[in-house]
Amino acid sequence: MWDHEIRAMASAHAVIAASVFVATVAPAVFVPGFSVYGAHLLWICSVSGAVTAVSVAVFWLLGVSPPTKKHTLGYKLSRLFRSCLYVLLSCLFFHAVVVLYGAPLIESALETFSLAVLLTCLTTLRCLCVLGPNVQAWIRVFSRHGAMSVWDTCLQITVACTLVGAWVGAFPIPLDWDRPWQVWPVSCSLGAMIGYLTGLVAAPAWIHYHRKQLTYKCK
Amino acid sequence: FRRGLPVLSLLLWLCAVYFVGIYLFVGGFLLVRLEVNRTSTCGDVLHPGEEPGDFCRAQPRFRRAVVLIIDALKIDFARFDPSNTAPRPYENKLPVLEENVSSKPLQSRLYPFRADPPTTTMQRIKGFTTGSLPTFVDVGNNFASSAILEDNLIHQFGQMGKRVVFMGDDTWESLFPKKFYRSLPFPSFNVKDLHTVDNGILQHLYTTMVGDDWDILVAHFLGVDHCGHRYGPDHPAMADKLTQMDGVIRSVIDRLQNDTLLVVMGDHGMTDTGDHGGESQKETDAALFLYSPSPIFQAPLSQNEPDVVPQTDLVPTLALLLGTPIPYSSVGQVLLPLFSPHQQTEGAVGGLSQLEALWINAKQVNRFLETYSSMAKDIPPESLSQLKEEFARLSAEYFTSVKEGRSPSPHLASSLQAYLTSVRDTCRATWARFNPLKMAAGLAILASACLMCFVMSELSLLLLRENASGLKAPVAVALTVGVCAGAAQLLTRGYIEAAWCLAACAFGSEIPFFWRACRLKTPAVSKNGAKPLKLSRWLTPRHLLVPPLVVPLLRCASLLSDSYVIAEGRVVTFLVLSLVLYIPIHLNWNDLLLPQSLDPLKSAGLLPSPILSPSTVRKESNTLLACFGVLIGIMYLSLSFHGCREEQGFCQPSPFLSPLSRLQDSQVKNLYYILSVISLGICTYLLRHCLCHYGNLNSSSGTVFTAHWILPLLSVCLALHWAVSATPEDSFRKLAELIRMAQLALPRAAFCLLGLGLGLIWLDPVTVFVKSRTSASSRSSALPLPRYRASTGISPQAELRHLIPQIYQRMRRSLDPGELSGGTEADNRPTVEAYGLGTVYSAPVLLFCGMLGIGLLLLHPEGMALSFLLLLLEMGALLHIHASSTTLSGMHGAQSGDFNVPWTTVVVWSLAVTQFFHATGHLPTFPSIQWGAAFVGFPDGHTGTILPALLVTLNTFASHILFAVSCPLLLFWPLVRGSRSGEEGEDAVMEMRLRENPQQFSSALLQLSTRYLFILGAQVFSSVCAAAILRRHLMVWKVFAPKLMFEALGFLVSSTSLLIGVTLVLRVDMAVGRWFKRLIPDASR
C-alpha cells in the first residue's frame, strides 16, 4: 500500500545507520588511541552529531515534517527556536530520568548528561523531525490509535527500541565482571545505540509485513 | 463471618503449604550444629595406666611448630612428576616437597589432605583448629560476632603458655581475637591483589623464625588462592606464585631447629576455574606436608600409611605432638605414623606411643559425643548407642591389656581406629552433607504452591461460589496421606521424621485441589464462553512480554546472581520505577490518559464513546501524574537510606542509620532529631487528616478514640524516647536516675499504647457516626424513596460531595432479600445520615497500619523516621495511582461488582517491600541485623530469648509487615477515590458497593491476597532455586544462603501479616453487618 514510503524509509534508515558507522570509525582515523570504550564521551559526541545532522537532512529532504501553515520567516524562526528549546529540555528531562533510575547525581554528571544528549538525539530529535515542535502530538503518537502515517508507526518503533535498549543496557552494570563496557554510561549508551539500530531495521520490516493490517484514518 | 471463613481457611492452607516447602528445603540445605562450649584441660587427659601425673607436664615430642598455610594449595600442585616434560603452569612447581620426601623419608611426608565441605576459607580455618565439622549455622552464643568460641588449638596453645605468633590472612584475627601473642594481619578482602598478604608475611617470617620469642608460628599465605580466583590455575601467574612458595618452604626448612615441626598445608583445593566452596574432589583435596629436622616417622613409607588424611585429623595429631590436650569438640583421629609403635622407655624424649595416643583420642571423642548427644538430638539414636557400646568394649579391652602389662594386640589399635572413623562418619553424615532428597521435595512443594496460588487467584470467584466445603477434601486427603507416610516410616525405619510426613500432607492436599481446579475450568468456559483459559493462548510472546510479567521475572532471575543480590536495593528500586513508569505509558497507549475531546480527530467513531467526562479524566490524570512525580521523588530519596554490604567496596552507609546517641556533634544531633520529630509529626498528621477527610473521626467508637488520643500520645512518647536516648550519658549527672527510668518507661509505655490502640481497633472497628434526622424526614417525606446518607464530613460541602442516595434500599436487599416489602413502609422511615460509612472498611485498616508503622519505628534508629515517612507517602502515592488508573481505565465504571486488583499494582506493592527493606537500613546479611532493637525498652537485657528474637524480627521485617497488613487497602482505595469523580449519585456509594456484592468482595479479597502471596512466593522460590543450584558457588555462604534465610523469614512474616490484615477486614465486615442489623430495626420502627 505504501511501498513507496516504505522504500523511502528503508533507504533513509540505511543512510542513518551508515552515518552511525562512519561516526564510529572516523574518529579512529583522526584521533590517536580512540576506542569506543576508552574515549566514550567522544564517541557519544560524534555519533550524536552525525545522527542529528543526517536525520535532519534526510527528513528535510524527504519532506516528512508536517506542512507548516505559515511560511513567514518569523514563524520559521520561532519554530526553530522552539525546537532548540525542546531539545535542551529533553536533554534535561532524560538526565533527570537517568538520575532517578539510580545514576550518580554529582560524580559523573558529564557522563550522565552525555547519555541524555545521546538519547535526545536518538528519540526527541526524530519526534521533532516527524511531528514538529508539538508536544501534544508527541504524546498522541504513543497510543494505540495515535499513529497517523507510516512515519508515525516507524517513530513509535524506533523510539521504543531505543529506550528499551538503554534500559536493558543498565542490566550488566552491577555484575562483577570488570569489563570496560560495564563502566557507566558505556553499557547504557551502547544499549541505546544497538536498540536504535535495531529499531531502524525493525521498523521498515515490521511495517512491510503488517502493511495489510495497518490502517490510518487520515494523513 | 461465615462468608469470610472460606477465604481465611484457603489462605491459611496456602501459607501452610509454603511453610512446609520452605521447612523441607531449609532442613536439607542448612546444616545446623550446636557448639559445645566446653574446653579440655590438662587435668582431664590422664595418662592411661597407673600414673595419675599431669598430662601437660610431660615432655612433648616437639617444643615448637611452624604452620605454613598456603590457601588453596591443591594436592596436584604439591606433587612432583619428573617424567612430566611439559608441565602445565601449576604442575611440578614445588619440587622441594618431593626432594625432601625422597631424600629424607624418616623426616618428611606428603599426604593428600581432604577438607570437608563447605570449602571456604573461614569454615576451613574453623575446621582445622577446632577439629570439628563446621556447618553454615553453628548455633552458639555469639551470633553477632564471628569469633570462635568452641575449644580450639589456638586456645589450647594459649592455655599451655605457648606464644602463638600469627601473620597473614586477617580472617584469623576476627576468628581468634586477642588470642595471639603477636599478630600481623593483612587485608584479605581484595581478591585481585595477589601479593600484599604474601609479601607482608615474607617481610616478617624469617626474622621471626630466627628470633626466640615464639612457640607456634602460623603464616597464612593467600596468593595462590587469589591467583586461582583471578586467573585460574592454568595461568603463568600461578607458576610464579607456586615457585615463590617453593622458595619460601626451602628457606623455612633451612631455618628449622631440631625441636620444631613444620606443617605445610592447603586449607582447600580449587576447581579448574580456580573457585572453591563446594564438595567436588578437586575442591576438597589439598596438600599436607610434614617435616622435621629430626626423624619422626618410624618407618619409611610403610604399607599402612593412610591414603588420604582428613583435615580434622591434624588437630589431635598436632595437639598430642606438642603436648596439649585435644580440643574438646574435635572428632579427628591421630595420624599414627607420627607416633612410635611401641611403648617408650620412661623419660625418653618421644612422647606417646601409638596406642596411647589412640586411647587418649578415643576417650576425648567419646566424651564429646556424650556431651553433644545430651545437648542436641540430631545424631540418630541407634548409631549413637552402637558407638557407645563399641567404646565400652574397647576401653575394657584396653584396660585389661594395660593392667596385665602385656603388649597390646595390633588388633586393638585397628579397632580404636575404626571406632574413631565411625564417629567421624556419623558426625559428618549429620552435619556436613546436604540432603538432596529433602531439597528436591522442598523445591517441588514450593513450585506447586506457587502454581496453586496462581490458579487460585485466577479462579477465586468460582472457588468461592462453589465450595463452602471445598477445603474438607484436601484436609482429609492430607491427613490420610500424612498418617500413611508416618506409618510407612515407622514400619520401614522404625522412627518417624516429621518433615516427611508434612511433605506428604502438603502433596496430598494439593492433588484434590488441582483436580478440582481442572474440573472447575470446564464449566467456566462453557458458561461464559468469553474467556477460555487456554495455556497456548497465554504463551504467545505478546502475553509473556508485558511488563507486569517481565518485571517479576527479572526480579526472580536477579536472585540467581550474586552481584544482583549484593546490589539488591538498587536493582529493586530500578524495577519498581520501571513498572510504575509503565502505568501512565500503558494508559496513554490505550488512549485513556488524556481526555478524548482534546483530539478532535479521534472522535471519528472508531472508539467506544468515553465513559468518563473529560473534566474527570483530566482531574484523574493530573492526580495520577502528580502522584507519579511524588512517587519517583520518594524512590530516589529512599536510595539514600541504604546500608552497605562488605562486598560493596566504595560504599558509605547512610548517616541516618547510626543512632543519635553515637553522634558527636551536638548541632548535627539536634538537626537530625528535629528532622525525625518533624517527619514523625507529618506521619501522624497525615493519618489523622486522611481519616478526618473521609469523616471517620466523628463517632465514639474505639477506633476513633485511638485516632484521637492514642496515636498522638504514641508519637509524643516516641519523640520523648528519642530525646532521652540521645542525651549523652555524662551531660546531666543529676538527672541520670531519671533518664534511666525514662529509658525504661517511655518505650514500654509506647508498647502498651500500641497494644491498647491495636486492641481497640480490633474490638470496635466501625467508625460510622449516625445522625437520625427525624425533623428533616418530614421535609423529605415527599421524596419517592427514603434517603440515606453516608457523608464524609460534617461540613455541608463534604455532605454534598459524598451524598449517598438510595443506598438504604440496596442495603436491605443485601441483608435480607426476602423481607423487601415495598414502598408503604418506606415512606415512614426517617432519613438517616451516616458519616464515614463510605470508608468504613479502609479507615480501621489505615489506622491499624499507621499505628503499627509508628510502633515499628520505635525499634529503629531515630533517623529512620524519615524513611518511614517516605514509606507512608509511597504507599499513599501508590494507592492514588492505582485508584486513578482504575478509574481511568473504567474498570469500576463499566461493570459494577468487579473489584479485581490488576497484576501491575500487586507487583509494585510487593516489590516495594524489598525496596523499603533496604531503605530502612536493612540488608540480607547477618552482620547487618540491627541488634539494638532487642534492647528498646529493655536496656538491661533479657532473660529469655523469645522476646528479643521477636523484637529483632519486627525490626528487620518492618516493611514486610506494613505492606502486607495494608495490602487490602489496594482493594478499597479505588472505591474510596472513585466516588469523588462520579458526580452522578449512582456511583457515590464508595465502599458500600462491597457490601452489595459480598460474593465479589470475598473473591476479590482472596484474589488480591493470593496474587500478593504468589509474587512473594515466587521470590522465595527463586532464592531457594539459587541456593540449590549454586550450592557450590564461591558466594553461597556469604550471599545466597543468608539471602535465602531472609527471604524465607520475610515470607513467613509477610504471610502472617497478610493474614492479620485480611482477618481485620473480615472483622470489620462482621462489625458493619452487626451495625446494620442494629440500625434497621431502629429505622423501620
Side-chain angles (χ1 to χ4, degrees), chain B residues 871-893:
Chain B
L871 189 149
L872 194 77
L873 286 176
E874 176 159 332
M875 268 187 189
L878 269 176
L879 285 173
H880 276 86
I881 288 176
H882 167 55
S884 297
S885 71
T886 315
T887 315
L888 282 175
S889 51
M891 277 163 73
H892 285 267

Side-chain angles (χ1 to χ4, degrees), chain A residues 65-149:
Chain A
S65 319
T68 50
K69 285 157 212 153
K70 297 179 223 164
H71 288 283
T72 57
L73 184 69
Y75 184 69
K76 278 187 180 164
L77 274 180
S78 94
R79 269 176 70 94
L80 190 67
F81 173 71
R82 267 180 32 224
S83 304
C84 291
L85 186 70
Y86 282 172
V87 166
L88 189 65
L89 285 179
S90 143
C91 287
L92 293 178
F93 171 77
F94 275 120
H95 188 98
V97 168
V98 171
V99 166
L100 285 173
Y101 258 112
L105 182 63
I106 298 160
E107 286 150 44
S108 40
L110 188 63
E111 282 85 351
T112 310
F113 192 73
S114 58
L115 176 67
V117 169
L118 181 71
L119 286 174
T120 302
C121 291
L122 299 185
T123 58
T124 314
L125 201 78
R126 209 176 162 88
C127 287
L128 272 175
C129 290
V130 176
L131 300 168
N134 178 358
V135 178
Q136 239 141 47
W138 296 1
I139 295 173
R140 188 254 308 152
V141 158
F142 292 102
S143 69
R144 194 189 298 272
H145 304 282
M148 280 189 250
S149 72

Side-chain angles (χ1 to χ4, degrees), chain A residues 99-103 105 139-140 142-145 148 156 167 170-172 174-176 178 217-218, chain B residues 192 554 561-564 567 570 574 577-578 581 588-591 594 599 601-602 606-607 632 636:
Chain A
V99 166
L100 285 173
Y101 258 112
L105 182 63
I139 295 173
R140 188 254 308 152
F142 292 102
S143 69
R144 194 189 298 272
H145 304 282
M148 280 189 250
Q156 286 177 354
W167 184 69
F171 288 9
L175 293 171
D176 56 356
D178 277 344
K217 269 166 285 167
C218 45
Chain B
K192 305 271 149 54
L554 282 176
S561 153
D562 57 324
S563 307
Y564 285 117
R570 283 177 163 262
F574 180 92
L577 185 56
S578 307
L581 204 60
N588 187 41
W589 177 251
N590 286 333
D591 293 320
L594 295 178
D599 191 4
L601 294 167
K602 198 61 61 59
L606 269 168
L607 296 165
I632 52 177
Y636 187 71

Side-chain angles (χ1 to χ4, degrees), chain B residues 747-826:
Chain B
R748 289 191 182 181
F751 285 139
C752 291
L753 281 175
L754 181 68
L756 185 69
L758 296 185
L760 276 176
I761 295 175
W762 196 271
L763 288 176
D764 192 5
V766 179
T767 54
V768 182
F769 177 60
V770 185
K771 200 162 141 196
S772 210
R773 291 217 302 201
T774 23
S775 57
S777 77
S778 59
R779 191 152 41 83
S780 63
S781 61
L783 292 167
L785 279 167
R787 296 221 147 216
Y788 187 84
R789 288 178 166 191
S791 285
T792 57
I794 292 289
S795 67
Q797 294 97 324
E799 273 182 47
L800 280 176
R801 219 168 16 160
H802 296 290
L803 183 75
I804 302 186
Q806 295 170 346
I807 187 171
Y808 183 65
Q809 283 292 9
R810 292 195 208 163
M811 216 55 67
R812 273 188 69 89
R813 234 175 282 144
S814 71
L815 277 172
D816 38 5
E819 216 193 290
L820 190 71
S821 49
T824 52
E825 212 183 353

Side-chain angles (χ1 to χ4, degrees), chain A residues 151-169:
Chain A
W151 291 103
D152 289 0
T153 313
C154 166
L155 180 72
Q156 286 177 354
I157 294 172
T158 45
V159 168
C161 283
T162 310
L163 294 182
V164 169
W167 184 69
V168 171

Side-chain angles (χ1 to χ4, degrees), chain B residues 468-604:
Chain B
S469 61
L471 213 58
K472 274 183 193 156
V475 168
V477 173
L479 284 180
T480 341
V481 174
V483 169
C484 285
Q489 282 188 354
L490 206 59
L491 281 179
T492 51
R493 284 196 275 174
Y495 61 97
I496 297 179
E497 204 173 342
W500 289 113
C501 293
L502 285 174
C505 281
F507 270 125
S509 67
E510 278 167 1
I511 292 163
F513 172 79
F514 281 123
W515 188 63
R516 272 175 55 86
C518 285
R519 300 223 4 220
L520 268 175
K521 232 180 256 178
T522 15
V525 172
S526 60
K527 228 185 284 171
N528 308 0
K531 257 194 170 182
L533 263 165
K534 257 191 216 158
L535 202 66
S536 56
R537 231 195 63 170
W538 265 87
L539 285 178
T540 53
R542 179 180 282 249
H543 279 97
L544 283 178
L545 280 179
V546 287
L549 210 61
V550 169
V551 166
L553 265 180
L554 282 176
R555 161 77 182 138
C556 291
S558 79
L559 289 172
L560 291 166
S561 153
D562 57 324
S563 307
Y564 285 117
V565 175
I566 288 169
E568 192 188 29
R570 283 177 163 262
V571 169
V572 168
T573 314
F574 180 92
L575 290 177
V576 172
L577 185 56
S578 307
L579 197 54
V580 172
L581 204 60
Y582 166 75
I583 294 174
I585 290 175
H586 183 69
L587 280 174
N588 187 41
W589 177 251
N590 286 333
D591 293 320
L592 292 166
L593 188 62
L594 295 178
Q596 302 286 307
S597 58
L598 257 181
D599 191 4
L601 294 167
K602 198 61 61 59
S603 52

